[in-house]
């Protein structure tokens, strides 16, 4: 089994600008999601799906994989998470040549989720 964590982190946000890069307790929401996945010991690949260059750089710096840019039609307020996940899985399979299972969706906007909660 190849466990894939997908962290969707688009650049645009109408309610809280740049929210995925906002800090809580000294770490960005993006960094917290990546750290939780990496420290859980349960995830083989931590993939960030984004349309934003700054988020790409932060994700890579934090140790996540960012091998593609999410297309604009999948990065607006009306885009369903299922569509983002399907695109990310398709891209991962194409690039890695492997089919992941299980797939874990980790929204950056859940800052109190940690490695232990991911393990559970």
């Amino acid at each position: 089994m190849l466990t894939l964590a997908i962290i969707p982190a688009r650049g645009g946000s109408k309610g809280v600008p740049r929210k995925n890069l906002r800090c809580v307790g000294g770490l960005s929401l993006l960094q917290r999601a990546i750290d939780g996945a990496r420290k859980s010991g349960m995830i083989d690949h931590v993939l960030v799906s984004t349309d934003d260059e700054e988020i790409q750089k932060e994700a890579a710096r934090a140790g996540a994989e960012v091998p593609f840019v999410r297309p604009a039609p999948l990065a607006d307020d009306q885009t369903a998470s299922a569509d983002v996940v399907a695109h990310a899985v398709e891209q991962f399979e194409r690039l890695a040549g492997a089919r992941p299972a299980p797939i874990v969706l980790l929204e950056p906007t859940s800052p109190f989720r940690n490695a232990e909660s991911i393990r559970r």
Side-chain angles (χ1 to χ4, degrees):
M1 273 196 318
L2 179 67
T3 303
L4 173 66
I6 298 172
I7 300 172
R10 68 186 183 95
S13 173
K14 292 180 180 174
V16 180
R18 312 297 294 158
K19 75 177 167 195
N20 291 310
L21 296 174
R22 293 286 182 108
C23 288
V24 173
L27 295 174
S28 72
L29 294 175
L30 179 63
Q31 173 86 49
R32 287 179 169 282
I34 294 167
D35 286 354
R38 292 183 71 218
K39 292 175 181 176
S40 74
M42 305 296 289
I43 309 293
D44 298 305
H45 293 271
V46 179
L47 182 105
V48 172
S49 171
T50 188
D51 61 322
D52 184 272
E53 186 177 339
E54 187 178 2
I55 290 173
Q56 283 179 302
K57 289 177 183 175
E58 170 79 6
R61 186 194 61 71
E65 300 170 39
V66 196
F68 60 86
V69 175
R70 189 190 317 173
L74 293 176
D76 66 29
D77 286 346
Q78 305 306 313
T79 303
S81 293
D83 294 336
V84 173
V85 170
H87 175 263
V89 169
E90 178 183 295
Q91 293 301 308
F92 178 83
E93 289 176 349
R94 182 179 64 79
L95 295 166
R99 186 172 192 89
I103 297 164
V104 180
L105 176 63
L106 300 174
E107 299 277 358
T109 52
S110 297
F112 301 112
R113 175 197 53 237
N114 57 26
E116 178 59 31
S117 63
I118 294 169
R119 279 191 292 275
R120 284 194 309 264

